[in-house]
């Protein structure tokens, strides 16, 4: 059993700027968050001495609202003494309910003629990333990837040997136990064991690199305090990618505590979050955080955002960064075969849909990229990942622009873009010739000094751009798959 995680081992939270708490947003009743802890005035210390408090991490504490007083009134009283106070906002898993009769939990029907497959892996061209990495003599395995969710069923047959001990910050069961199923589904999309003859394949093939961090309860709810602890814990354990298939409609600027934790975490980890499952509320938080990759979803059609996917609007203009397959849900014309095949606790499999399913695909890509390129920083990985998706007209083709400026995730291009950065160059050999006109110095201007060595490409893969320096060495290679 993993050793208990204490507040002292989760770092210190540093928050700056003015506070504008939103007490109308969903929050945990009966308590408030007090930000800061050093240099308090005598008046502040006196106010806190009369109430029950609990340390979340250094620099962040819970103060429990006295009986007969509202949370907002209690917060106002503390603020009057100079304390910085905010709600402990509620965050929930982002999952939609598929209403097809054959979806688990509904009436069901004889579906012997329906063969549900992982067509989403084909659509994001995961197999080309695996092939590319193998051509570079690399195993298609990822770095430590944290899954902030409801826990992960480590005993599942398709996750054997894949799951680290992790930690739980809500409930009483270990992070490797999942009473809800949402976290197991998310973890499976990222890293279900591939090529084992069972179930399905995750984006990252193998290795013990899935870090379950239980921040959502068995009912799928967590709070600012659990998320802050979860984010800091993931960073402390060396996670290079953090997946958050969860969110809230709270305006991110009002959750100063989580905002600060995410900002600090982004220095070392690629942060990925589901954008949300309502089309009219804008991008949810934490996906709307400026340093988080906001992932929307396409359903059965690559050229159209899924009916449920969050998207920018006039009130909430924050754009989506990437869209990836998330299942058809209950959109018009949806069928069971168009949903996402996922893992479920107890060695089971199920169907699901939502941006909770699209975000893990992007996290898997980022994990492969950082494993293939150990010297890439989190910010470089994020920039390269976003530059590898296609920006042409309409989602159906990899080379067409997409509505709203979104880009559909392309695993092959994301990983193939940088097989090795700043270490030794790798080789990937094709037969054929690359026309000289396709070599472009402009392709590597943003990343001077990053060197790659790529052999010639066949005519069927002529959509290939790279640049060559004065010595003839390839500077940057981008497989436009």
């Amino acid at each position: 059993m993993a050793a208990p995680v204490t507040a002292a081992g989760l770092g210190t939270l540093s928050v700056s700027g003015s506070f504008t708490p939103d007490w109308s947003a969903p929050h945990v009743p009966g308590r408030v968050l007090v930000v800061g802890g050093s240099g308090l005035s005598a008046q502040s210390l006196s106010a806190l001495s009369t109430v029950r408090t609990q340390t979340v991490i250094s620099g962040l504490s819970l103060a429990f609202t006295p009986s007969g007083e509202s949370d907002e009134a209690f917060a106002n009283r503390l603020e009057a003494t100079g304390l910085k106070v905010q709600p402990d906002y509620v965050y929930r898993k982002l999952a939609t309910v598929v209403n097809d009769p054959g979806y688990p939990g509904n009436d069901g029907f004889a579906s012997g003629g329906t063969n549900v497959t992982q067509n989403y892996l084909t659509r994001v061209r995961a197999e080309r990333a695996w092939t590319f990495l193998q051509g570079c003599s690399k195993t298609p395995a990822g770095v430590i990837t944290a899954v902030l969710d409801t826990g992960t069923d480590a005993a599942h047959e398709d996750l054997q040997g894949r799951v680290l001990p992790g930690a739980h910050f809500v409930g009483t069961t270990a992070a490797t136990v999942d009473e809800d199923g949402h976290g197991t589904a998310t973890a499976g999309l990222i890293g279900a064991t591939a090529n084992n003859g069972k179930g399905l394949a995750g984006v990252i093939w193998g290795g013990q690199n899935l870090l379950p961090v239980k921040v959502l309860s068995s009912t799928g709810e967590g709070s600012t305090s659990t998320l802050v602890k979860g984010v800091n814990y993931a960073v402390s354990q060396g996670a290079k990618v953090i997946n958050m298939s969860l969110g809230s409609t709270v305006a991110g600027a009002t959750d100063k505590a989580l905002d600060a934790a995410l900002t600090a975490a982004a220095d070392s980890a690629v942060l990925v979050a589901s954008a949300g499952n309502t089309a009219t509320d804008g991008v949810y938080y934490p996906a709307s955080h400026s340093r988080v990759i906001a992932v929307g979803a396409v359903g059965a059609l690559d050229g159209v955002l899924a009916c449920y996917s969050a998207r920018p609007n006039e009130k909430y203009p924050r754009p989506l960064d990437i869209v990836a397959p998330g299942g058809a849900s209950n959109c018009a014309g949806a069928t069971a075969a168009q949903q996402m095949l996922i893992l479920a606790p107890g060695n089971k499999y199920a169907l699901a849909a939502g941006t909770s399913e699209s975000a893990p695909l992007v996290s898997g890509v980022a994990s492969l990229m950082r494993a293939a390129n150990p010297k890439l920083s989190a910010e470089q990985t994020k920039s390269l990942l976003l530059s590898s998706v296609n920006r042409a007209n309409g989602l159906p083709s990899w080379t067409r622009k997409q509505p709203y400026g979104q880009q559909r995730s392309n695993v092959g291009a994301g990983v193939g873009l940088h097989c090795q950065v700043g270490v030794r160059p790798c080789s990937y050999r094709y037969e054929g010739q690359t026309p000289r006109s396709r070599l472009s110095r402009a392709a590597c201007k943003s990343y001077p000094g990053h060197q790659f060595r790529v052999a010639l490409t066949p005519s069927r893969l002529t959509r290939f751009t790279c640049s060559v320096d004065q010595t003839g060495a390839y500077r940057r290679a981008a497989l436009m798959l």
Side-chain angles (χ1 to χ4, degrees):
M1 180 179 293
V5 179
T6 63
L10 295 175
T12 301
L13 187 72
S14 177
V15 179
S16 60
S18 60
F19 274 50
T20 54
D22 180 4
W23 292 99
S24 66
H27 60 276
V28 180
R31 68 194 197 194
V32 300
L33 281 171
V34 180
V35 181
S38 61
L40 296 181
S41 68
Q43 188 181 13
S44 297
L45 291 172
S46 176
L48 289 176
S49 69
T50 62
V51 298
R52 185 164 66 94
T53 61
Q54 178 183 319
T55 300
V56 177
I57 65 173
S58 178
L60 183 68
S61 299
L62 288 169
F64 294 88
T65 306
S67 177
E69 191 171 12
S70 71
D71 295 336
E72 184 173 3
F74 177 45
N76 290 338
R77 182 160 61 85
L78 295 179
E79 287 172 347
T81 70
L83 292 169
K84 294 181 177 180
V85 186
Q86 69 162 67
D88 196 3
Y89 294 106
V90 170
Y91 289 79
R92 295 185 172 92
K93 65 181 181 180
L94 298 180
T96 57
V97 177
V98 180
N99 64 1
D100 296 297
Y103 185 80
N106 294 341
D107 293 337
F109 63 92
S111 57
T114 301
N115 180 28
V116 180
T117 62
Q118 289 181 272
N119 66 16
Y120 50 86
L121 287 179
T122 304
R123 292 166 70 187
V124 300
R125 307 197 175 189
E127 74 287 348
R128 296 199 180 185
W130 299 335
T131 300
F132 192 92
L133 288 171
Q134 289 168 336
C136 293
S137 300
K138 291 178 176 291
T139 302
V143 292
I144 293 178
T145 302
V147 182
L148 271 61
D149 217 293
T150 61
T152 298
D153 180 10
H156 197 288
E157 64 179 8
D158 232 346
L159 290 172
Q160 293 294 304
R162 302 302 315 278
V163 183
L164 293 161
H168 69 279
F169 298 104
V170 65
T172 59
T173 56
T176 51
V177 176
D178 182 9
E179 296 105 335
D180 178 89
H182 190 264
T184 299
T186 302
L189 290 166
I190 297 170
T193 304
N195 210 27
N196 66 346
K198 298 177 181 179
L200 54 92
V203 176
I204 56 177
W205 275 41
Q208 192 174 22
N209 44 26
L210 295 174
L211 180 69
V213 185
K214 187 180 287 190
V215 296
L216 302 179
S217 68
S218 58
T219 60
E221 286 196 357
S223 67
T224 299
S225 51
T226 61
L227 263 67
V228 168
K229 288 192 284 189
V231 168
N232 280 31
Y233 172 77
V235 172
S236 75
Q237 298 302 298
K240 300 299 184 185
V241 178
I242 299 177
N243 185 88
M244 297 172 284
S245 289
L246 50 83
S248 171
T249 55
V250 62
T254 70
D255 196 343
K256 301 292 286 188
L258 184 54
D259 181 86
L262 293 171
T263 299
D267 289 338
S268 60
V270 178
L271 309 180
V272 180
S274 302
N277 293 334
T278 54
T280 57
D281 291 337
V283 175
Y284 281 36
Y285 191 77
S288 60
H289 189 284
S290 62
R291 298 190 69 181
V292 174
I293 297 175
V295 185
V298 290
L301 301 175
D302 287 339
V304 181
L305 280 174
C307 65
Y308 56 82
S309 178
R311 63 204 70 193
N313 57 30
E314 186 175 350
K315 184 176 180 181
Y316 301 106
R318 201 285 197 204
L320 297 172
D321 293 312
I322 297 180
V323 294
S329 186
N330 56 358
C331 300
T335 67
Q338 295 169 347
Q339 312 305 336
M340 301 286 281
L341 182 59
I342 60 168
L343 303 186
N347 288 333
K348 297 177 182 178
Y349 299 83
L351 303 179
T355 56
S356 281
E357 282 64 48
S358 57
L361 303 184
V362 177
S363 292
V365 180
S367 186
L368 285 178
M369 290 177 70
R370 299 204 75 177
N373 306 279
K375 291 193 175 182
L376 277 179
S377 68
E379 190 59 37
Q380 285 173 323
T381 305
K382 177 185 174 185
S383 297
L384 295 174
L385 177 59
L386 297 183
S387 71
S388 72
V389 289
N390 299 300
R391 305 177 184 276
N393 200 7
L395 282 169
S397 168
W398 294 119
T399 57
R400 296 185 199 160
K401 191 125 182 126
Q402 303 166 12
Y404 312 105
Q406 276 81 257
Q407 322 307 327
R408 194 177 72 173
S409 177
N410 184 341
V411 183
V415 175
L417 178 64
H418 289 265
C419 177
Q420 186 86 321
V421 174
V423 198
R424 61 185 184 280
C426 69
S427 298
Y428 189 57
R429 184 169 297 281
Y430 292 108
E431 300 296 329
Q433 282 269 335
T434 301
R436 195 73 180 171
S437 62
R438 293 189 181 274
L439 302 180
S440 167
R441 291 184 183 281
C444 73
K445 282 184 177 178
S446 299
Y447 303 96
H450 292 186
Q451 294 199 357
F452 305 86
R453 188 163 302 169
V454 181
L456 304 177
T457 83
S459 57
R460 66 184 178 85
L461 286 177
T462 53
R463 287 195 300 275
F464 183 91
T465 62
C466 61
S467 67
V468 181
D469 65 16
Q470 296 297 321
T471 67
Y474 286 88
R475 228 356 120 70
R476 184 182 182 198
L479 274 173
M480 306 301 290
L481 299 178

